DNA sequence: TATTTATATTGCAATATTACGATAATAATT
DNA sequence: AATTATTATCGTAATATTGCAATATAAATA
């Protein structure tokens, strides 16, 4: 055991879980916030912003990229990272949906 | 190693990471969706809805509760679970914030 | 072409997560 | 009081994640 039973859940559920999981680490939240703060593509000084080694940061960036939350394009000998909107909209939509639903039904529960 | 360096990040970053991590499993997404679908407190048939054993589901419910995404109150000999709005609003706010910010700056990036 | 700069990959140790059988705990019912 | 129903906890095996040193890769520059 130890492996998630992904094939027992819907594609949508797995997809949302992948997105949420990618954000389930403070370093990756910090990366997203930093990319947002600088208001543009940022070419690699993310390592200086975080209290983690270069290989570790690189790994976190890879996970965010795999999940579709950021994208990186080669820019000379450095890499330009920025937020990938479609991925973000997908997970935002999930919370919006829940929130809208709750607004209608608030009184019935607990 | 293997332990997250939580003390190197802000409280807000850690808090968001905890919420996102709690949703980083398809079973826990499925639980949230189910609680939403039934429109009310649900007394324990979550186990029947999921392709997982009772102890495993109980563990997932505990994680969602610890993260503040659901709440459970004792109702006779069963337990009434439902979505905890404040936790949900917190993580929704994070995505809303990013989304709003991106809407303004879209043209500058990538 | 050698060197520097920037990022990725590999390998490994420490720790965390996932899943479930067995069992415990609690309250309702008989 | 014994039984049943419902949920939680313990113990444990399998797998995943986290973090970093060492190393590799790739592009710019001297």
């Amino acid at each position: 055991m130890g492996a998630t039973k992904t094939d027992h859940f819907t594609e949508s559920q797995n997809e949302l879980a992948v997105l949420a999981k990618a954000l389930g680490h403070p370093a990756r939240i910090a990366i997203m916030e930093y990319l947002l703060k600088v208001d543009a593509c940022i070419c690699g000084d993310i390592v200086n912003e975080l209290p983690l080694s270069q290989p570790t940061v690189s790994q976190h960036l890879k996970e965010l990229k795999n999940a579709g939350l950021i994208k990186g394009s080669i820019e000379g000998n450095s890499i330009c990272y920025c937020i990938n909107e479609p991925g973000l909209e997908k997970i935002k939509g999930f919370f919006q949906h829940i929130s809208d639903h709750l607004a209608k039904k608030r009184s019935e529960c607990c």
Side-chain angles (χ1 to χ4, degrees), chain A:
Chain A
M1 274 120 232
T4 298
K5 288 184 158 185
T6 43
D7 46 321
H8 291 78
F9 299 97
T10 69
E11 202 169 329
S12 156
Q13 286 165 345
N14 283 312
E15 201 174 345
L16 284 168
V18 164
L19 287 165
K21 192 174 191 176
L23 290 168
H25 192 290
R28 297 195 289 266
I29 294 283
I31 290 170
M32 293 296 282
E33 289 180 341
Y34 183 65
L35 289 179
L36 199 70
K37 196 185 81 184
V38 295
D39 272 350
C41 284
I42 200 66
C43 299
D45 43 359
I46 301 174
V47 172
N48 302 319
E49 284 288 310
L50 297 188
L52 296 169
S53 74
Q54 181 271 320
T56 303
V57 171
S58 181
Q59 192 179 277
H60 283 308
L61 286 166
K62 189 179 172 184
E63 277 175 69
L64 285 170
K65 198 160 68 177
N66 286 343
L69 285 164
I70 65 173
K71 52 189 170 180
S73 50
I74 297 165
E75 193 94 358
N77 69 336
S78 63
I79 292 187
C80 174
Y81 280 112
C82 61
I83 291 175
N84 186 47
E85 290 199 50
L88 205 98
E89 288 303 314
K90 206 169 284 177
I91 192 163
K92 182 196 147 199
F94 173 70
F95 290 109
Q96 192 60 62
H97 170 65
I98 295 186
S99 186
D100 291 351
H101 213 283
L102 284 177
K104 287 187 213 155
K105 309 287 177 177
R106 183 168 319 202
S107 56
E108 298 180 21
C109 195
C110 299

